[in-house]
Amino acid sequence: MTTTKTDRTDAAAGILFIAFGLLFGVQSLGMELGTAFRMGPGYFPLVLSGVLILLGLAILIIAFKKVSATEMGGFAWRGMLFILPAPVFFGLTVRGLGFVPAIFLTTLIAGLASLKMKPQWALVLAFGVTVFSTLVFSYGLGLPFRRFGPWLPL
Amino acid sequence: MDLISNLGLGFATAASPENLFFCLIGVILGTLIGVLPGIGATATIAMLLPITFQLEPVSSLIMLAGIYYGAQYGGSTTAILINMPGESSSAVTAIDGYQMARKGKAGTALAVAALGSFFAGSVATLLVALFAPPLTVVALKFGAAEYFSLMMLGLVSAIALAHGSILKALAMVVLGLLLGLVGDDLYTGTPRFTFGMPEFAGGLNFVALAVGVFGIAEILRNLEGEQDRTVLGTRLAGLFPSRADLKRMVAPMFRGTAIGSVLGILPGGGAVLASFASYTVEKRISKTPEEFGHGAIEGVAGPESANNAGAQTSFIPLLTLGIPANPVMALMIGAMIIQGIVPGPNVASEQPELFWGIIASMWIGNLMLVVLNLPLIGLWVKLLKVPYHILFPIIMAMCSIGVYSVNSNVYDLFTVAFFGLLGYGLIKLRCEPAPLLLGFVLGPMLEENLRRAMILGRGDPTVFVTRPISLLLLLLMVAVLVVVTLPSIRKKRDEVFTEAE
Amino acid sequence: MAFTTMRAGLAVAATLMATTALAQDYPDRSITMVVPFAAGGPTDTVARLVAERMSADLGQQIIVENVGGAGGTLGAGQVAAAEADGYTVLLHHIGMATSATLYRNLAYSPADGFAPVGLVTEVPMTIVARKDLEPADFPALMAYVKENADTITMANAGIGAASHLCGMLFMQAVDAPIVTVPYKGTGPAMTELIGGQIDLMCDQTTNTTEQIKGGTIKGYAVTTPARLDIFPDMPTVAEGGFPGLEVSVWHGLYAPAGTPPEAVDRLATALQAALADPGIATKLAELGTAPSPAADATPAALKAKLDGEIARWKPIIEAAGVYAD
């Protein structure tokens, strides 16, 4: 006789899809649905949201009847803490600080995500990346970046 | 023979020392910029476009075409080495190519990609030269109903992209479709799912999404244990494909070329389906479908050939009608106009040396790429020996620059971070990103053509079955579905698709 | 209190000093020309042609930056918010005027947010149809469309696109509701027109000239007051009895409001010099258009054009009831 377990990974996936389905579905309801002849902006997304919720439910139900369950494993908390803010930081500062400081700090932030990266080497790496990308993108390709932005007292 | 004299004219034009030089420069620049992570063909061309404005029209376009192939090739390289596709087409290459790289077969994967691309490029170039005008006629028969049916066929094929649970893969496709709808509605201008931010009115940026769910999610996954990566550096099997590898890639290469050539002709975005479709076909007919998703050579050879063949034949609408089939082609039209050539149906007769020169340079460019890149494979693979904690900050920097350079839109960078997080979460929940990306690419087209077909058909849904091409595509879709769900095959499928669980 | 006044005074003095210094040396570094559309499009093409010659005249590089999205309002908004020092300019088309009505919650004012520099060019439009559409000439077409309003389909390249604006005028002219089908850009729309999937379109000569000449589509009329050199046989809309259909896609150069007049004038001089270049005229001629005469490439002329067009399109867009937000 086999006992059934709950696969928490799949259950979480099912819930996530249902949540997305609801998020999109509720917003679709707020739009004009239209007719089959002239479909409104809400028509197609509403149908898709419904399908997504159904798929999520199916995944959730099956998750409760698994013979074996798998574990999710650990999370890269440090990675998330430094990797994800890196592009955001670049976006927030590239116009204000300018390309050169923005790319330097972005690389530095990303570099801190690894435990293996010693701070002094992170600095060296950030410096190298900055020189390379400034030469290639700013001077070489002439991309319309300001090298040093108005936030700096230059 | 017209063809021979035309091709003669073309090669005479393309092989002038000056044009050869610009072709080479284009291929090299395209490869070098395209190989930077997070920078795909569109971004590369957008960056390099101004450089070509100073040249003669023919040279300028030859160089642009070179950049295009080079960038595509570079994009496949990053997809294989670090799971960072820069275009939708190389997203498929990433599935098995990256797995090959993880198993120490990065060199093989890159060589297979290069050889497959070259073969497909050569065949497709010949097709363009031989059949451009009649093929255009076929392309013009495609209306909204046909495109909708084609997209549906493409969606069904998404099932094969998954090597885990089918249900999850389907859910990912649907989520992708929904994400593809973000932005202003084409028909009414209503902003959808933009949370009030006009920066998303044009939709989510593909490169930002792909870099997030593929590349950044993968970086985070690698950072979990902080030692995963050493595997790559230590076990580097032979750089080049073995005889057995080559044998395995021949048939997928032929099939991929055929699929890519056909889909590439359709100006409504058929080319994006090429690599996905080829992957589906290879997985279906493979005797060992369980290898797919874990480093199957066929999963690299087929899609890469299809992708390159499609890229080549997508020049057909541009050359015969003067209509761009994708953003890259639109950039080339812009370049033509700046050069004083207004592209239109008469380019072939009014500017024969331009028309045939470009066709000839396609082949020359592909040849240069393969000659240039086979030796470079050793270099690329050595890059994998760079310790990961040094590599990924560089990747992050290049991604940031690449994503930002496309539209100068900082919200695209926020998109990268958001989808990096989402992609990582989805990996942890054992949901694969490739079906999501396919859905994302198809979402807007699917809806656009569905609504257009209904408007043109005055609300009559039978348009999809009364138009012969559409009917044929739908029957094909049903056939695929039947094959997938037939009991006997299903048993085999279950073995195949649950093995990851 | 006194402190605040003093600070304000200092600020004014600083601004004045900056302005005078700027006026003398302008431009002493590179200028960014924002194109609010993707690279390679028709507006981008015009911008790059003009920017190159203006650079030569100004002695400083002009960098073209494509800030696409939201029908051009993202790029325009960015320039409106940029420092008014003459180093950020905007090259926009007719959408500048229509966005004032099409978008009901813009963060900037198309009418007051900019210092107009000058008109760059006006691209004529053509009314075209699939090649096997029955009517023989333009008046017959209008009658035919009115009679078959329930089966005729008209394409456009999305809300706010030139083809959409012209389509609104067209519907007003035939006074019958026709089914409009939006596409993502002119390319796909043109493909389906050539393929005969749709019946009608009204688009810029940039896109239609070669197709008409190649016989893949049928040209019925031009929307300019006079016939075009490239199509001497094609009547104008006024000749066909529909003067209200006259429309052109005009392009203008703008600086942010508050830019020192010296800088604006310098830019206008450079623009006029660029437009007088025969090389530019040749390239524009191939697009079916011509550079604006020096008299139109002035701040006053663009201001008048912009205000006039905002006023013209407001009732048309409101009557159509289509908004892009």
Side-chain angles (χ1 to χ4, degrees):
Chain A
M1 189 181 150
T2 51
T3 49
T4 58
K5 297 180 192 168
T6 304
D7 189 321
R8 284 160 71 187
T9 312
D10 278 9
I15 292 169
L16 183 72
F17 288 128
I18 295 172
F20 267 113
L22 289 174
L23 178 74
F24 280 101
V26 168
Q27 291 190 66
S28 309
L29 280 175
M31 297 171 202
E32 202 185 322
L33 295 180
T35 61
F37 172 26
R38 276 231 174 245
M39 291 180 197
Y43 194 108
F44 194 62
L46 186 66
V47 172
L48 288 180
S49 307
V51 174
L52 188 59
I53 292 171
L54 287 181
L55 286 169
L57 277 174
I59 294 168
L60 187 63
I61 291 166
I62 293 172
F64 286 114
K65 297 181 183 164
K66 280 282 164 77
V67 182
S68 63
T70 46
E71 284 309 308
M72 251 184 259
F75 280 87
W77 294 114
R78 189 184 171 91
M80 281 194 267
L81 193 64
F82 290 102
I83 291 285
L84 298 176
V88 175
F89 178 84
F90 183 76
L92 292 176
T93 56
V94 64
R95 284 186 180 275
L97 285 178
F99 178 76
V100 175
I103 201 65
F104 179 81
L105 292 171
T106 301
T107 318
L108 198 62
I109 294 172
L112 296 175
S114 170
L115 290 167
K116 289 183 185 168
M117 181 67 95
K118 297 204 172 60
Q120 65 270 34
W121 286 110
L123 278 171
V124 172
L125 181 67
F127 181 76
V129 168
T130 307
V131 170
F132 172 81
S133 23
T134 307
L135 286 179
V136 170
F137 295 104
S138 193
Y139 288 96
L141 298 179
L143 294 192
F145 298 136
R146 275 174 88 162
R147 280 172 212 125
F148 294 94
W151 292 358
L152 297 173
L154 285 179
Chain B
M1 269 291 277
D2 261 4
L3 176 71
I4 293 179
S5 63
N6 283 335
L7 275 181
L9 174 67
F11 275 98
T13 313
S16 79
E18 194 188 322
N19 287 338
L20 275 182
F21 174 74
F22 285 118
C23 185
L24 182 67
I25 297 284
V27 167
I28 292 176
L29 277 178
T31 309
L32 291 184
I33 304 294
V35 86
L36 294 173
I39 302 177
T42 317
T44 310
I45 295 220
M47 285 182 196
L48 297 176
L49 186 69
I51 298 179
T52 65
F53 288 159
Q54 317 300 332
L55 309 175
E56 285 291 298
V58 180
S59 312
S60 146
L61 286 167
I62 285 179
M63 182 164 154
L64 259 184
I67 293 172
Y68 178 42
Y69 309 133
Q72 271 209 326
Y73 189 83
S76 307
T77 307
T78 44
I80 290 172
L81 293 180
I82 52 172
N83 202 28
M84 194 72 94
E87 297 294 306
S88 56
S89 49
S90 44
V92 182
T93 312
I95 304 174
D96 277 270
Y98 181 65
Q99 292 306 324
M100 285 179 76
R102 282 170 66 99
K103 290 182 176 157
K105 293 182 77 180
T108 311
L110 288 172
V112 164
L115 294 172
S117 296
F118 176 65
F119 173 79
S122 306
V123 173
T125 303
L126 198 65
L127 277 179
V128 174
L130 279 173
F131 303 118
L135 287 177
T136 314
V137 177
V138 177
L140 286 176
K141 294 231 183 303
F142 264 67
E146 284 76 15
Y147 279 115
F148 175 78
S149 303
L150 179 72
M151 301 298 156
M152 287 304 288
L153 179 61
L155 279 184
V156 170
S157 79
I159 298 170
L161 289 171
H163 50 273
S165 144
I166 296 181
L167 271 181
K168 280 187 185 170
L170 284 175
M172 289 292 270
V173 171
V174 178
L175 182 58
L177 287 170
L178 279 166
L179 290 171
L181 299 183
V182 172
D184 280 358
D185 173 33
L186 173 65
Y187 288 77
T188 59
T190 313
R192 297 192 288 185
F193 318 118
T194 57
F195 298 95
M197 288 176 274
E199 284 78 7
F200 290 120
L204 298 169
N205 178 330
F206 174 84
V207 179
L209 185 100
V211 161
V213 294
F214 271 88
I216 297 200
E218 180 61 25
I219 290 179
L220 290 174
R221 213 185 54 79
N222 278 325
L223 284 172
E224 266 172 26
E226 285 260 41
Q227 76 279 12
D228 214 30
R229 181 58 182 230
T230 42
V231 180
L232 268 180
T234 46
R235 279 199 305 134
L236 274 183
L239 271 187
F240 290 95
S242 65
R243 190 172 289 264
D245 289 338
L246 287 175
K247 221 170 148 186
R248 278 180 71 184
M249 72 173 281
V250 172
M253 202 168 73
F254 274 94
R255 286 189 290 264
T257 304
I259 293 169
S261 303
V262 171
L263 289 174
I265 299 162
L266 304 173
V272 298
L273 278 177
S275 45
F276 288 102
S278 163
Y279 191 85
T280 307
V281 168
E282 292 313 319
K283 188 164 175 175
R284 275 248 64 85
I285 62 179
S286 169
K287 288 194 189 74
T288 54
E290 65 277 3
E291 277 186 32
F292 279 75
H294 300 282
I297 272 195
E298 295 89 342
V300 176
E304 270 297 304
S305 309
N307 163 19
N308 209 38
Q312 217 75 284
T313 51
S314 65
F315 271 90
I316 289 182
L318 176 74
L319 290 171
T320 55
L321 295 175
I323 286 169
N326 58 41
V328 174
M329 301 293 149
L331 288 176
M332 297 194 71
I333 295 243
M336 285 194 193
I337 293 178
I338 287 201
Q339 299 287 359
I341 301 165
V342 184
N346 298 333
V347 170
S349 51
E350 284 171 6
Q351 309 255 0
E353 71 290 342
L354 177 85
F355 183 90
W356 293 101
I358 292 175
I359 290 181
S361 78
M362 288 177 180
W363 188 76
I364 296 180
N366 273 288
L367 181 68
M368 283 181 177
L369 261 182
V370 82
V371 171
L372 186 78
N373 275 289
L374 285 178
L376 276 179
I377 288 175
L379 178 73
W380 300 141
V381 172
K382 280 208 187 72
L383 279 183
L384 290 179
K385 291 194 173 172
V386 174
Y388 199 59
H389 63 273
I390 294 180
L391 201 54
F392 78 80
I394 302 178
I395 296 176
M396 290 309 300
M398 296 303 147
C399 283
S400 302
I401 299 172
V403 168
Y404 180 72
S405 67
V406 179
N407 271 331
S408 306
N409 186 345
V410 296
Y411 281 73
D412 286 348
L413 290 159
F414 307 157
T415 311
V416 171
F418 176 77
F419 282 101
L421 183 64
L422 182 68
Y424 181 57
L426 288 168
I427 288 187
K428 297 303 279 182
L429 299 176
R430 294 197 314 275
C431 298
E432 293 149 59
L436 181 120
L437 225 48
L438 176 69
F440 178 76
V441 174
L442 291 186
M445 291 196 257
L446 192 69
E447 188 201 25
E448 190 187 325
N449 285 299
L450 170 65
R451 287 165 79 176
R452 185 175 300 141
M454 295 306 278
I455 291 177
L456 290 176
R458 311 284 149 167
D460 178 8
T462 59
V463 286
F464 298 107
V465 289
T466 50
R467 296 176 60 119
I469 301 179
S470 170
L471 178 67
L472 187 77
L473 290 165
L474 286 178
L475 288 177
L476 212 57
M477 180 192 86
V478 173
V480 171
L481 268 179
V482 167
V483 171
V484 171
T485 46
L486 266 184
S488 60
I489 298 166
R490 190 188 203 163
K491 195 161 168 282
K492 191 174 147 210
R493 275 190 59 81
D494 283 347
E495 287 162 21
V496 172
F497 287 110
T498 49
E499 113 300 318
E501 302 220 299
Chain C
M1 248 332 200
F3 182 65
T4 325
T5 322
M6 198 176 77
R7 264 221 315 216
L10 275 176
V12 170
T15 318
L16 279 176
M17 272 160 66
T19 313
T20 17
L22 191 138
Q24 280 160 6
D25 317 330
Y26 180 84
D28 61 355
R29 57 186 164 90
S30 62
I31 297 169
T32 303
M33 183 186 283
V34 172
V35 174
F37 301 99
T43 309
D44 180 61
T45 308
V46 170
R48 287 184 194 270
L49 281 176
V50 173
E52 201 192 325
R53 297 305 152 98
M54 281 182 70
S55 297
D57 189 73
L58 291 168
Q60 286 290 341
Q61 208 194 349
I62 296 182
I63 301 163
V64 175
E65 182 176 355
N66 301 93
V67 185
T73 56
L74 279 188
Q78 193 173 306
V79 174
E83 236 176 298
D85 54 7
Y87 291 97
T88 312
V89 295
L90 172 75
L91 199 140
H92 202 335
H93 61 41
I94 184 171
M96 184 73 139
T98 51
S99 66
T101 314
L102 274 173
Y103 292 82
R104 287 164 295 188
N105 40 19
L106 284 181
Y108 61 93
S109 156
D112 307 320
F114 301 90
V117 175
L119 267 168
V120 179
T121 177
E122 299 202 30
V123 185
M125 302 189 76
T126 43
I127 293 167
V128 294
R130 62 181 161 86
K131 60 175 183 287
D132 47 0
L133 200 71
E134 285 164 40
D137 55 24
F138 179 59
L141 173 80
M142 299 305 270
Y144 178 85
V145 170
K146 200 171 166 67
E147 204 161 296
N148 299 285
D150 49 341
T151 55
I152 286 280
T153 50
M154 184 165 199
N156 67 52
I159 289 176
S163 49
H164 175 233
L165 300 174
C166 183
M168 285 197 274
L169 289 179
F170 187 84
M171 265 202 257
Q172 210 179 39
V174 292
D175 194 26
I178 344 172
V179 173
T180 53
V181 190
Y183 287 81
K184 268 197 181 130
T186 299
M190 185 56 81
T191 313
E192 300 226 339
L193 188 68
I194 295 172
Q197 315 282 354
I198 42 169
D199 300 318
L200 280 175
M201 183 156 74
C202 173
D203 206 1
Q204 307 175 54
T205 45
T206 326
N207 302 317
T208 58
T209 304
E210 289 298 308
Q211 303 294 349
I212 297 172
K213 283 186 186 163
T216 53
I217 57 173
K218 210 167 178 173
Y220 278 102
V222 291
T223 62
T224 40
R227 291 194 182 200
L228 299 179
D229 291 345
I230 40 169
F231 295 121
D233 298 332
M234 204 186 290
T236 66
V237 283
E239 285 173 48
F242 295 92
L245 249 170
E246 274 175 19
V247 57
S248 72
V249 184
W250 50 274
H251 294 73
L253 185 67
Y254 308 83
T259 304
E262 296 84 354
V264 173
D265 288 341
R266 183 71 193 87
L267 284 166
T269 318
L271 177 65
Q272 288 152 14
L275 294 177
D277 185 297
I280 288 203
T282 321
K283 282 182 176 167
L284 287 178
E286 286 181 69
L287 301 177
T289 176
S292 295
D296 286 344
T298 57
L302 179 56
K303 177 75 186 151
K305 182 82 180 174
L306 180 65
D307 290 345
E309 289 279 284
I310 291 178
R312 179 188 180 194
W313 285 100
K314 195 172 188 317
I316 299 171
I317 293 167
E318 282 171 351
V322 190
Y323 297 96
D325 55 12

